[in-house]
Amino acid sequence: MQSADVTPKVWEHILAARAGQACLCCGDWAPGERAAMALYGSMMAAPGTPQVVAQIGQSLDGRVATVTGDAADVSGPDGLAHLHRMRALVDAVIVGVKTALHDNPRLTVRLVSGQNPARVVIDPSGRLPNDARLFAEDGTRRIVIQEVDKPRPAGVEVIQLPRSDWISPPAIVSALRKVGLHHLMVEGGAITIARFIEADLLARLHVAVAPLLIGAGPQGLTTRPVARLAQARRPETQVYGLGTDVLFDCVMGARVAAEVWPHARQPAVRLG
Ligand SMILES: NC(=O)c1ccc[n+]([C@@H]2O[C@H](COP(=O)([O-])OP(=O)(O)OC[C@H]3O[C@@H](n4cnc5c(N)ncnc54)[C@H](OP(=O)(O)O)[C@@H]3O)[C@@H](O)[C@H]2O)c1
């Protein structure tokens, strides 16, 4: 496991690299700083390059909230800062309607410097009230993906897509590309992330594990079950110490940006 040391100088350098104004390969950096650049560099993509990543924060016993829906502090402070850094490196953050209803999240980057991503909620039946915080006007794009014809607040972009069991995740990615959003992070909850995993759309999956036991409550990822362990997905994984949390950075294989960001080519560790 490598410790990722995200000093303010390293973070500013990563933001500059994202803007095409710096390179993450060269320079005189300490090993922990290099690890931080490898971590964030590997999930970046060049402007206009389609890429989808996902992040979930969970407890040691694989829960993402309590039975009463308290999810605010599942991740420790360093896990939360990591989540905000991930937000700052993508064009848009996607959540499912249950997360929007339970947590009423703002989806901003208030814990780190950087730009807020566009906020996207998948709400096929129009269950999210129009006064939800993620619809609040703050200069950031707000988008709802829905099947129904429900009016939304002024300035909120509505993308109407059909559903069968689900709205097709490739159709969601394609619709967001058409409105200029290429680099996407699916932030939860587990149901929403699972749809993107099953559609083989993820380049990276970040699972941040915090050292606490919750006992019961919504479970982390629940993808289609396999009968035998030999059939289980075993993504190549790098493990990073973030301070309060441990991060599993899993290569899921869809459109990895290694051609664009050479530091992403470092050999990955296979676990299990
Ligand atoms: N620890 C963390 O990192 C973290 C992050 C996020 C959320 N959470 C917690 O997770 C819980 C909520 O997560 P969840 O997994 O139950 O639900 P969720 O993923 O937030 O929302 C799922 C719902 O979103 C809609 N949806 C998502 N993808 C869709 C698709 N492709 N097509 C059609 N509809 C789609 C569906 O809405 P309908 O039901 O209307 O059909 C679906 O039931 C909350 O307790 C929240 O606090 C934890």
Side-chain angles (χ1 to χ4, degrees):
M1 182 169 80
Q2 314 168 63
S3 283
D5 190 9
V6 198
T7 60
K9 186 175 159 209
V10 166
W11 180 238
E12 291 310 317
H13 195 72
I14 291 168
L15 287 178
R18 179 169 192 255
Q21 294 158 357
C23 148
L24 294 182
C25 319
C26 325
D28 191 15
W29 302 97
E33 295 175 323
R34 283 228 158 272
M37 288 194 262
L39 166 59
Y40 294 106
S42 67
M43 56 76 63
M44 286 203 271
T49 307
Q51 180 156 275
V52 189
V53 299
Q55 128 90 38
I56 194 153
Q58 65 179 50
S59 61
L60 287 175
D61 50 351
R63 309 285 169 183
V64 296
T66 68
V67 279
T68 60
D70 183 4
D73 291 322
V74 171
S75 296
D78 297 320
L80 282 177
H82 169 70
L83 172 62
H84 284 224
R85 282 186 210 111
M86 295 280 284
R87 289 176 181 166
L89 295 176
V90 295
D91 298 333
V93 166
I94 302 172
V95 293
V97 66
K98 288 187 181 168
T99 294
L101 287 168
H102 275 273
D103 301 352
N104 202 10
R106 283 172 279 182
L107 304 179
T108 62
V109 300
R110 57 198 178 279
L111 298 181
V112 299
S113 55
Q115 276 199 330
N116 288 329
R119 303 189 281 270
V120 180
V121 59
I122 307 175
D123 181 16
S125 309
R127 296 200 282 143
L128 188 65
N130 282 343
D131 61 359
R133 280 211 292 213
L134 60 74
F135 287 146
E137 163 67 281
D138 62 354
T140 302
R141 286 178 76 178
R142 297 146 290 149
I143 297 173
V144 58
I145 293 172
Q146 59 188 35
E147 186 191 36
V148 293
D149 193 13
K150 174 172 175 168
R152 295 299 190 171
V156 172
E157 299 166 60
V158 177
I159 295 176
Q160 254 185 299
L161 290 173
R163 79 183 285 180
S164 46
D165 283 350
W166 300 98
I167 296 174
S168 137
I172 292 170
V173 172
S174 165
L176 291 174
R177 282 189 73 190
K178 282 189 190 135
V179 297
L181 301 170
H182 303 279
H183 195 187
L184 312 172
M185 176 167 73
V186 189
E187 190 176 312
I191 293 174
T192 303
I193 294 177
R195 299 290 80 74
F196 282 80
I197 292 176
E198 285 168 356
D200 279 326
L201 282 175
L202 293 189
R204 314 292 282 209
L205 169 67
H206 282 190
V207 180
V209 180
L212 77 165
L213 294 165
I214 300 179
Q219 204 174 313
L221 301 174
T222 35
T223 49
R224 209 171 289 128
V226 294
R228 302 181 57 78
L229 290 178
Q231 300 164 321
R233 286 171 192 258
R234 293 177 190 267
E236 289 192 351
T237 300
Q238 299 271 1
V239 186
Y240 293 93
L242 293 179
T244 55
D245 298 28
V246 172
L247 181 76
F248 292 78
D249 171 17
C250 308
V251 180
M252 302 301 283
R255 258 204 108 86
V256 189
E259 316 89 276
V260 187
W261 301 97
H263 48 271
R265 286 196 199 119
Q266 62 176 262
V269 176
R270 183 181 280 279
L271 297 180

PDB file of all heavy atoms in Angstrom, residues 14-33:
ATOM      1  N   ILE A  14      -1.854  19.057  -9.672  1.00  0.00           N
ATOM      2  CA  ILE A  14      -2.800  18.142 -10.329  1.00  0.00           C
ATOM      3  C   ILE A  14      -3.874  18.942 -11.071  1.00  0.00           C
ATOM      4  O   ILE A  14      -4.231  18.628 -12.208  1.00  0.00           O
ATOM      5  CB  ILE A  14      -3.417  17.178  -9.287  1.00  0.00           C
ATOM      6  CG1 ILE A  14      -2.349  16.207  -8.779  1.00  0.00           C
ATOM      7  CG2 ILE A  14      -4.608  16.418  -9.869  1.00  0.00           C
ATOM      8  CD1 ILE A  14      -2.756  15.398  -7.553  1.00  0.00           C
ATOM      9  N   LEU A  15      -4.381  20.014 -10.430  1.00  0.00           N
ATOM     10  CA  LEU A  15      -5.387  20.847 -11.103  1.00  0.00           C
ATOM     11  C   LEU A  15      -4.798  21.496 -12.361  1.00  0.00           C
ATOM     12  O   LEU A  15      -5.469  21.588 -13.401  1.00  0.00           O
ATOM     13  CB  LEU A  15      -5.905  21.938 -10.156  1.00  0.00           C
ATOM     14  CG  LEU A  15      -6.842  21.481  -9.026  1.00  0.00           C
ATOM     15  CD1 LEU A  15      -7.228  22.674  -8.148  1.00  0.00           C
ATOM     16  CD2 LEU A  15      -8.093  20.811  -9.570  1.00  0.00           C
ATOM     17  N   ALA A  16      -3.533  21.918 -12.262  1.00  0.00           N
ATOM     18  CA  ALA A  16      -2.883  22.525 -13.433  1.00  0.00           C
ATOM     19  C   ALA A  16      -2.735  21.477 -14.539  1.00  0.00           C
ATOM     20  O   ALA A  16      -2.925  21.772 -15.726  1.00  0.00           O
ATOM     21  CB  ALA A  16      -1.524  23.094 -13.038  1.00  0.00           C
ATOM     22  N   ALA A  17      -2.418  20.236 -14.152  1.00  0.00           N
ATOM     23  CA  ALA A  17      -2.290  19.165 -15.155  1.00  0.00           C
ATOM     24  C   ALA A  17      -3.630  18.924 -15.830  1.00  0.00           C
ATOM     25  O   ALA A  17      -3.710  18.719 -17.039  1.00  0.00           O
ATOM     26  CB  ALA A  17      -1.788  17.886 -14.496  1.00  0.00           C
ATOM     27  N   ARG A  18      -4.690  18.969 -15.049  1.00  0.00           N
ATOM     28  CA  ARG A  18      -6.025  18.752 -15.641  1.00  0.00           C
ATOM     29  C   ARG A  18      -6.337  19.846 -16.660  1.00  0.00           C
ATOM     30  O   ARG A  18      -6.974  19.602 -17.684  1.00  0.00           O
ATOM     31  CB  ARG A  18      -7.108  18.741 -14.556  1.00  0.00           C
ATOM     32  CG  ARG A  18      -8.476  18.542 -15.167  1.00  0.00           C
ATOM     33  CD  ARG A  18      -9.561  18.251 -14.184  1.00  0.00           C
ATOM     34  NE  ARG A  18     -10.744  17.799 -14.900  1.00  0.00           N
ATOM     35  CZ  ARG A  18     -11.830  18.536 -15.103  1.00  0.00           C
ATOM     36  NH1 ARG A  18     -11.908  19.753 -14.625  1.00  0.00           N
ATOM     37  NH2 ARG A  18     -12.850  18.047 -15.774  1.00  0.00           N
ATOM     38  N   ALA A  19      -5.857  21.063 -16.365  1.00  0.00           N
ATOM     39  CA  ALA A  19      -6.102  22.182 -17.284  1.00  0.00           C
ATOM     40  C   ALA A  19      -5.104  22.180 -18.442  1.00  0.00           C
ATOM     41  O   ALA A  19      -5.097  23.107 -19.255  1.00  0.00           O
ATOM     42  CB  ALA A  19      -6.026  23.489 -16.505  1.00  0.00           C
ATOM     43  N   GLY A  20      -4.243  21.172 -18.489  1.00  0.00           N
ATOM     44  CA  GLY A  20      -3.266  21.076 -19.584  1.00  0.00           C
ATOM     45  C   GLY A  20      -2.089  22.010 -19.405  1.00  0.00           C
ATOM     46  O   GLY A  20      -1.350  22.282 -20.350  1.00  0.00           O
ATOM     47  N   GLN A  21      -1.878  22.504 -18.182  1.00  0.00           N
ATOM     48  CA  GLN A  21      -0.812  23.487 -17.956  1.00  0.00           C
ATOM     49  C   GLN A  21       0.366  22.898 -17.193  1.00  0.00           C
ATOM     50  O   GLN A  21       1.274  23.634 -16.795  1.00  0.00           O
ATOM     51  CB  GLN A  21      -1.381  24.675 -17.171  1.00  0.00           C
ATOM     52  CG  GLN A  21      -2.402  25.457 -17.962  1.00  0.00           C
ATOM     53  CD  GLN A  21      -3.330  26.269 -17.070  1.00  0.00           C
ATOM     54  OE1 GLN A  21      -3.238  26.207 -15.848  1.00  0.00           O
ATOM     55  NE2 GLN A  21      -4.238  27.000 -17.682  1.00  0.00           N
ATOM     56  N   ALA A  22       0.357  21.626 -16.902  1.00  0.00           N
ATOM     57  CA  ALA A  22       1.473  21.006 -16.172  1.00  0.00           C
ATOM     58  C   ALA A  22       1.510  19.534 -16.540  1.00  0.00           C
ATOM     59  O   ALA A  22       0.564  18.997 -17.108  1.00  0.00           O
ATOM     60  CB  ALA A  22       1.282  21.167 -14.661  1.00  0.00           C
ATOM     61  N   CYS A  23       2.630  18.923 -16.203  1.00  0.00           N
ATOM     62  CA  CYS A  23       2.809  17.512 -16.518  1.00  0.00           C
ATOM     63  C   CYS A  23       3.009  16.769 -15.199  1.00  0.00           C
ATOM     64  O   CYS A  23       3.681  17.260 -14.294  1.00  0.00           O
ATOM     65  CB  CYS A  23       4.028  17.418 -17.415  1.00  0.00           C
ATOM     66  SG  CYS A  23       4.955  15.942 -17.228  1.00  0.00           S
ATOM     67  N   LEU A  24       2.411  15.600 -15.083  1.00  0.00           N
ATOM     68  CA  LEU A  24       2.506  14.856 -13.820  1.00  0.00           C
ATOM     69  C   LEU A  24       3.668  13.862 -13.832  1.00  0.00           C
ATOM     70  O   LEU A  24       3.873  13.149 -12.858  1.00  0.00           O
ATOM     71  CB  LEU A  24       1.194  14.118 -13.545  1.00  0.00           C
ATOM     72  CG  LEU A  24      -0.029  15.000 -13.273  1.00  0.00           C
ATOM     73  CD1 LEU A  24      -1.254  14.146 -12.970  1.00  0.00           C
ATOM     74  CD2 LEU A  24       0.223  15.960 -12.112  1.00  0.00           C
ATOM     75  N   CYS A  25       4.366  13.776 -14.941  1.00  0.00           N
ATOM     76  CA  CYS A  25       5.425  12.754 -15.031  1.00  0.00           C
ATOM     77  C   CYS A  25       6.734  13.245 -14.440  1.00  0.00           C
ATOM     78  O   CYS A  25       7.520  12.463 -13.918  1.00  0.00           O
ATOM     79  CB  CYS A  25       5.697  12.390 -16.471  1.00  0.00           C
ATOM     80  SG  CYS A  25       4.243  12.248 -17.451  1.00  0.00           S
ATOM     81  N   CYS A  26       7.017  14.546 -14.608  1.00  0.00           N
ATOM     82  CA  CYS A  26       8.347  15.043 -14.273  1.00  0.00           C
ATOM     83  C   CYS A  26       8.308  15.837 -12.968  1.00  0.00           C
ATOM     84  O   CYS A  26       7.246  16.093 -12.421  1.00  0.00           O
ATOM     85  CB  CYS A  26       8.860  15.967 -15.376  1.00  0.00           C
ATOM     86  SG  CYS A  26       8.348  15.455 -17.011  1.00  0.00           S
ATOM     87  N   GLY A  27       9.496  16.244 -12.523  1.00  0.00           N
ATOM     88  CA  GLY A  27       9.576  17.088 -11.325  1.00  0.00           C
ATOM     89  C   GLY A  27      10.143  16.321 -10.151  1.00  0.00           C
ATOM     90  O   GLY A  27      10.228  15.093 -10.162  1.00  0.00           O
ATOM     91  N   ASP A  28      10.496  17.098  -9.159  1.00  0.00           N
ATOM     92  CA  ASP A  28      11.155  16.532  -7.988  1.00  0.00           C
ATOM     93  C   ASP A  28      10.121  16.394  -6.881  1.00  0.00           C
ATOM     94  O   ASP A  28       9.799  17.356  -6.191  1.00  0.00           O
ATOM     95  CB  ASP A  28      12.294  17.500  -7.582  1.00  0.00           C
ATOM     96  CG  ASP A  28      13.191  16.885  -6.549  1.00  0.00           C
ATOM     97  OD1 ASP A  28      13.116  15.648  -6.365  1.00  0.00           O
ATOM     98  OD2 ASP A  28      13.953  17.639  -5.912  1.00  0.00           O
ATOM     99  N   TRP A  29       9.593  15.220  -6.707  1.00  0.00           N
ATOM    100  CA  TRP A  29       8.513  15.007  -5.745  1.00  0.00           C
ATOM    101  C   TRP A  29       8.869  13.872  -4.794  1.00  0.00           C
ATOM    102  O   TRP A  29       9.535  12.916  -5.184  1.00  0.00           O
ATOM    103  CB  TRP A  29       7.204  14.640  -6.465  1.00  0.00           C
ATOM    104  CG  TRP A  29       6.742  15.667  -7.446  1.00  0.00           C
ATOM    105  CD1 TRP A  29       6.942  15.666  -8.797  1.00  0.00           C
ATOM    106  CD2 TRP A  29       6.002  16.867  -7.157  1.00  0.00           C
ATOM    107  NE1 TRP A  29       6.371  16.769  -9.378  1.00  0.00           N
ATOM    108  CE2 TRP A  29       5.789  17.532  -8.389  1.00  0.00           C
ATOM    109  CE3 TRP A  29       5.502  17.445  -5.991  1.00  0.00           C
ATOM    110  CZ2 TRP A  29       5.090  18.737  -8.488  1.00  0.00           C
ATOM    111  CZ3 TRP A  29       4.807  18.643  -6.089  1.00  0.00           C
ATOM    112  CH2 TRP A  29       4.609  19.278  -7.321  1.00  0.00           C
ATOM    113  N   ALA A  30       8.394  13.950  -3.577  1.00  0.00           N
ATOM    114  CA  ALA A  30       8.596  12.875  -2.598  1.00  0.00           C
ATOM    115  C   ALA A  30       7.727  11.672  -2.994  1.00  0.00           C
ATOM    116  O   ALA A  30       6.742  11.831  -3.725  1.00  0.00           O
ATOM    117  CB  ALA A  30       8.202  13.373  -1.211  1.00  0.00           C
ATOM    118  N   PRO A  31       8.054  10.459  -2.506  1.00  0.00           N
ATOM    119  CA  PRO A  31       7.286   9.272  -2.910  1.00  0.00           C
ATOM    120  C   PRO A  31       5.774   9.405  -2.650  1.00  0.00           C
ATOM    121  O   PRO A  31       4.963   9.010  -3.494  1.00  0.00           O
ATOM    122  CB  PRO A  31       7.899   8.149  -2.066  1.00  0.00           C
ATOM    123  CG  PRO A  31       9.288   8.613  -1.781  1.00  0.00           C
ATOM    124  CD  PRO A  31       9.227  10.111  -1.683  1.00  0.00           C
ATOM    125  N   GLY A  32       5.375   9.962  -1.496  1.00  0.00           N
ATOM    126  CA  GLY A  32       3.942  10.110  -1.198  1.00  0.00           C
ATOM    127  C   GLY A  32       3.273  11.089  -2.156  1.00  0.00           C
ATOM    128  O   GLY A  32       2.102  10.910  -2.532  1.00  0.00           O
ATOM    129  N   GLU A  33       4.004  12.128  -2.552  1.00  0.00           N
ATOM    130  CA  GLU A  33       3.461  13.094  -3.513  1.00  0.00           C
ATOM    131  C   GLU A  33       3.307  12.442  -4.891  1.00  0.00           C
ATOM    132  O   GLU A  33       2.318  12.650  -5.593  1.00  0.00           O
ATOM    133  CB  GLU A  33       4.375  14.317  -3.590  1.00  0.00           C
ATOM    134  CG  GLU A  33       4.414  15.102  -2.278  1.00  0.00           C
ATOM    135  CD  GLU A  33       5.418  16.249  -2.314  1.00  0.00           C
ATOM    136  OE1 GLU A  33       6.509  16.091  -2.928  1.00  0.00           O
ATOM    137  OE2 GLU A  33       5.133  17.299  -1.722  1.00  0.00           O
TER     138      GLU A  33
END
